[in-house]
Amino acid sequence: MADSFGVPQLTSYLQQMGLKIARIDLQQELIEMAFHGRHGQWRIIVAIQQSGDVRKLMLIAPHIGVVTTQRRLECLEALMAVNYRIAIGKFGIDLEDGEVRLEESVPLANDLLTYGQFKLVFSAMMQTISMYHSLLPRIIYGNFSVQEALLACEQSFLQETGPVQAVKAFNDEKSQESHTELNVQDVLAEVSRIFEEPID
């Protein structure tokens, strides 16, 4: 397995993307990164798991939020709605402590993953975190309805990143539209469409 796709290739991909690695564990085939921004701090773990002959790449953003008893049903409904909206990644919850995490699993077909494929999955995860980081606090502390919280997160993301930059990251040909013409639902539909296109 010395020539198998693994941590060295993933490290190279992350460096090509200009990302800083916090920790590498070669034995567990795991890379950890920490991010700090206006929206707080979060970690992303990139790891390779093997079960028999099947290998897969795991991307996990742990501790994205916590679901408590306060407005629990609304929080769970909001997370399910986001899972329905996004093409890559899914939110899950630990029923023991309420920890919310975002994760994605990518099978390593022929034990290979191209840089383009990795970048697409990683960028989609980062965008989801950036867009929905305030979803649960809006519901729990801001007393937003689920629909209001979802819309507020999506509009806030587009305002912060700018409509051109938000869409340009996914090579959207509609990115030249003005802010007043840009519709959040149209952007999300276009991003979903782009995710379904084959990767070079």
Side-chain angles (χ1 to χ4, degrees):
M1 280 261 184
D3 297 325
S4 295
F5 180 87
V7 169
Q9 292 85 354
L10 291 171
T11 302
S12 173
Y13 289 172
L14 292 165
Q15 288 170 344
Q16 286 179 60
M17 293 172 69
L19 298 173
K20 199 171 183 179
I21 296 169
R23 184 173 75 91
I24 296 176
D25 186 327
L26 291 171
Q27 190 171 8
Q28 293 187 9
E29 292 193 281
L30 179 146
I31 300 171
E32 187 173 346
M33 288 157 290
F35 295 90
H36 310 274
R38 286 182 294 175
H39 313 307
Q41 303 176 42
W42 67 90
R43 293 182 303 142
I44 291 190
I45 298 165
V46 180
I48 293 179
Q49 288 187 347
Q50 181 148 359
S51 177
D53 293 336
V54 178
R55 285 168 56 86
K56 62 183 177 180
L57 174 72
M58 297 292 299
L59 291 98
I60 303 166
H63 305 291
I64 294 295
V66 177
V67 172
T68 63
T69 54
Q70 188 176 357
R71 302 200 70 193
R72 185 180 184 89
L73 188 58
E74 291 92 338
C75 290
L76 294 174
E77 183 182 336
L79 292 173
M80 289 295 291
V82 173
N83 283 346
Y84 185 76
R85 283 168 145 77
I86 58 179
I88 293 177
K90 68 180 181 301
F91 282 102
I93 182 172
D94 183 332
L95 295 176
E96 294 292 319
D97 60 9
E99 175 206 342
V100 175
R101 62 169 46 190
L102 178 67
E103 60 183 51
E104 180 58 78
S105 172
V106 181
L108 295 173
N110 301 318
D111 206 28
L112 180 66
L113 185 74
T114 68
Y115 172 68
Q117 291 167 326
F118 176 80
K119 185 176 178 183
L120 176 65
V121 175
F122 193 92
S123 299
M125 296 275 288
M126 292 293 286
Q127 178 170 346
T128 298
I129 294 167
S130 297
M131 189 177 295
Y132 296 108
H133 70 277
S134 64
L135 180 64
L136 299 183
R138 286 178 195 270
I139 292 169
I140 296 168
Y141 306 112
N143 214 22
F144 282 57
S145 72
V146 171
Q147 275 304 110
E148 288 169 344
L150 289 165
L151 189 58
C153 287
E154 292 157 359
Q155 288 179 338
S156 177
F157 174 78
L158 289 175
Q159 287 171 355
E160 286 177 12
T161 58
V164 174
Q165 290 81 4
V167 182
K168 189 176 182 184
F170 296 95
N171 301 319
D172 183 2
E173 64 275 3
K174 295 180 181 178
S175 63
Q176 300 304 315
E177 294 179 334
S178 71
H179 183 69
T180 55
E181 296 173 327
L182 196 64
N183 179 294
V184 172
Q185 299 303 325
D186 291 343
V187 171
L188 294 174
E190 184 64 15
V191 168
S192 295
R193 182 192 65 77
I194 290 168
F195 283 159
E196 292 169 4
E197 290 180 353
I199 306 296
D200 294 332

